[in-house]
Amino acid sequence: GQNIDQPTEMTATEGAIVQINCTYQTSGFNGLFWYQQHAGEAPTFLSYNVLDGLEEKGRFSSFLSRSKGYSYLLLKELQMKDSASYLCAVRMDSNYQLIWGAGTKLIIKP
Amino acid sequence: DVKVTQSSRYLVKRTGEKVFLECVQDMDHENMFWYRQDPGLGLRLIYFSYDVKMKEKGDIPEGYSVSREKKERFSLILESASTNQTSMYLCASRGTGGNQPQHFGDGTRLSIL
């Protein structure tokens, strides 16, 4: 079966750095997406990785290791507005579907 | 910016009713999706469509059907609503190309009493 694991909840301090991990076991792989979802709102796209390595976008970076079935989202200079759930999703081969993790709820404390 | 609009933010219906959830996108996307989201679970795909009048079952299609008569509109139908269909329903659309993300509507929080 297909499986994606993320920690359920994490807590971090405003101004700090936090790393949210995602591990996956899927029968195919054709890219990994990270989304942010504030409570009661729609998920919004953050990043996409298909090759190994780090992709940086401002305060957010995402890393992928295909051989390890592992990705992380790195958030720097945390702000209170970063309090949200972060969803990891894998696109498998030759179809339009994404397999979704349950999400990591990130709580930022002053 | 891509705009995906769902017809209702909140909806309350009764057991046994036929329920229609509507979704419209304005970016001429071929691909559209219906998910439900429940606490502690990932997004679960109900149905998706990759073209007008085309539909494919997702992971949990039982009790649901869909309609895509026009490219911009994708409707989810609960044939006979049951209490276990109380959930947040999210619609998404996506263009072609492997790196294209899905763009989501604001969701419909549906309660079946």
Side-chain angles (χ1 to χ4, degrees):
Chain A
Q2 325 299 341
N3 193 50
I4 296 182
D5 287 315
Q6 304 179 235
T8 303
E9 187 174 296
M10 299 180 69
T11 302
T13 305
E14 190 177 15
I17 299 172
V18 71
Q19 177 175 310
I20 302 174
N21 295 326
C22 170
T23 57
Y24 61 91
Q25 301 90 36
T26 56
S27 55
F29 180 84
N30 200 15
L32 186 144
F33 294 83
W34 283 97
Y35 282 77
Q36 180 190 59
Q37 186 177 24
H38 286 101
E41 297 183 12
T44 55
F45 169 69
L46 288 177
S47 68
Y48 171 74
N49 296 71
V50 67
L51 299 176
D52 290 352
L54 189 68
E55 296 277 344
E56 296 188 76
K57 267 189 191 179
R59 294 189 300 114
F60 291 10
S61 303
S62 57
F63 171 83
L64 176 68
S65 169
R66 289 172 296 171
S67 62
K68 295 182 179 178
Y70 169 69
S71 174
Y72 66 73
L73 182 69
L74 191 71
L75 291 73
K76 301 176 185 176
E77 301 169 14
L78 286 169
Q79 302 175 10
M80 298 303 292
K81 68 179 181 179
D82 297 330
S83 291
S85 289
Y86 291 86
L87 313 179
C88 168
V90 169
R91 180 173 181 259
M92 291 171 53
D93 291 333
S94 68
N95 64 49
Y96 308 92
Q97 296 186 49
L98 298 179
I99 308 298
W100 294 83
T104 299
K105 182 178 181 180
L106 178 63
I107 300 167
I108 309 297
K109 295 186 174 179
Chain B
D1 276 356
V2 177
K3 183 69 175 176
V4 180
T5 303
Q6 294 184 229
S7 51
S8 306
R9 287 299 304 271
Y10 301 94
L11 205 54
V12 180
K13 296 291 183 180
R14 297 209 172 271
T15 305
E17 282 192 71
K18 191 169 187 175
V19 181
F20 293 85
L21 302 183
E22 305 287 345
C23 176
V24 176
Q25 51 96 1
D26 67 355
M27 283 302 292
D28 203 36
H29 284 165
E30 289 78 10
N31 307 303
M32 296 188 74
F33 307 82
W34 274 107
Y35 293 95
R36 63 179 284 176
Q37 186 175 33
D38 300 290
L41 302 175
L43 291 171
R44 292 183 292 169
L45 183 65
I46 304 171
Y47 268 96
F48 68 100
S49 169
Y50 52 89
D51 203 350
V52 176
K53 297 192 185 296
M54 305 302 290
K55 60 185 179 184
E56 293 282 345
K57 292 180 180 179
D59 299 318
I60 51 165
E62 296 78 18
Y64 303 94
S65 63
V66 290
S67 171
R68 190 152 181 216
E69 296 297 317
K70 294 184 177 182
K71 193 174 187 179
E72 67 270 18
R73 185 179 297 270
F74 192 35
S75 302
L76 179 70
I77 303 152
L78 285 66
E79 297 291 344
S80 177
S82 64
T83 55
N84 63 11
Q85 292 178 308
T86 291
S87 187
M88 170 68 87
Y89 289 87
L90 289 163
C91 173
S93 75
R94 174 183 178 272
T96 54
N99 63 345
Q100 293 298 307
Q102 294 185 14
H103 299 271
F104 287 84
D106 287 336
T108 296
R109 186 164 293 282
L110 176 64
S111 296
I112 307 296
L113 304 179

